[in-house]
Amino acid sequence: MEDYYFPLDTGLVSWDSTIAENWEVDVATTASGKRRTLCQQVMPGWDFSITFPALNKAQVDELLRFYATMKGPWKSFWYMDYEYHHVDNAIIGKVDANNYQCLALIGSYAEPAGKVKDLTLYVDGLVIENRDLSDGKFFVGVDEGTVVTATYDYYFRVCFKDPLQIKQIYKDVYSVNINLSVVRE
């Protein structure tokens, strides 16, 4: 699968942009009135609602081209949120033997990061060469009890949730509200 990246600088989003956490939970009430719930998700769904309050014509054209390339919600792509995208010198979890997994963090919630960049690895505080990195995982041959930490930026795999609507505010000034949903593949 080809990797696509959201084309606009997310530092341009307005402060009223939102992140929503959601869980699909089936709720049933028994004949006696007791509440029963069932959740089959291991990780939450995340929705990003981002507003670009002032884009120029070139940025709008770039966004329109990208939306057409994705065919709206059909293809997924990598999105780096402006607020939630960086981990600094965090302890990295072991997946098995000597394989480690980088994590995406939103608040105190952590989940496997699918794509990372600018990875700096530390073993017991010393910088080591970057290892083969695939889907946010890497191999480091270390002894038990060794502390592996890393600093990196991470992306979320998302797709467009709604049609793209662009509002012209002034000459060559446009506003766009975009809704994205995390995709698990």
Side-chain angles (χ1 to χ4, degrees):
M1 176 189 295
E2 186 174 349
D3 282 337
Y4 296 96
Y5 294 86
F6 187 74
L8 299 180
D9 176 6
T10 56
L12 301 173
V13 299
S14 68
W15 287 106
D16 65 349
S17 296
T18 61
I19 298 173
E21 177 180 356
N22 54 67
W23 295 87
E24 293 292 327
V25 177
D26 294 322
V27 180
T29 304
T30 65
S32 65
K34 290 184 180 178
R35 180 176 180 261
R36 299 288 184 224
T37 59
L38 176 66
C39 181
Q40 297 181 6
Q41 285 178 252
V42 176
M43 294 180 278
W46 297 104
D47 292 324
F48 296 91
S49 179
I50 55 177
T51 300
F52 292 91
L55 296 177
N56 63 37
K57 178 86 167 80
Q59 291 166 322
V60 166
D61 288 347
E62 185 176 12
L63 184 57
L64 285 168
R65 177 202 53 77
F66 184 73
Y67 189 82
T69 301
M70 298 298 101
K71 293 182 177 23
W74 188 56
K75 290 183 183 176
S76 62
F77 55 92
W78 294 107
Y79 167 73
M80 184 180 287
D81 187 67
Y82 185 72
E83 183 75 22
Y84 297 105
H85 73 273
H86 183 74
V87 172
D88 194 30
N89 203 27
I91 295 175
I92 301 301
K94 213 177 217 190
V95 178
D96 58 39
N98 290 312
N99 291 303
Y100 291 81
Q101 172 72 56
C102 293
L103 299 173
L105 305 173
I106 295 182
S108 61
Y109 187 82
E111 62 183 56
K115 175 76 73 178
V116 300
K117 74 172 194 171
D118 300 331
L119 175 68
T120 304
L121 294 174
Y122 305 90
V123 174
D124 286 337
L126 300 173
V127 176
I128 63 167
E129 281 183 37
N130 283 356
R131 301 293 181 201
D132 289 335
L133 184 64
S134 175
D135 299 328
K137 297 177 191 159
F138 57 89
F139 174 83
V140 179
V142 294
D143 298 328
E144 280 298 316
T146 303
V147 178
V148 177
T149 59
T151 297
Y152 54 90
D153 291 328
Y154 58 89
Y155 294 87
F156 293 93
R157 181 169 287 288
V158 298
C159 67
F160 287 106
K161 193 173 174 185
D162 300 318
L164 183 61
Q165 296 180 358
I166 298 167
K167 181 179 180 181
Q168 186 171 5
I169 300 173
Y170 302 106
K171 182 180 180 176
D172 198 34
V173 179
Y174 303 85
S175 174
V176 179
N177 185 338
I178 299 170
N179 293 310
L180 307 171
S181 287
V182 167
V183 175
R184 310 270 185 216
E185 295 179 341

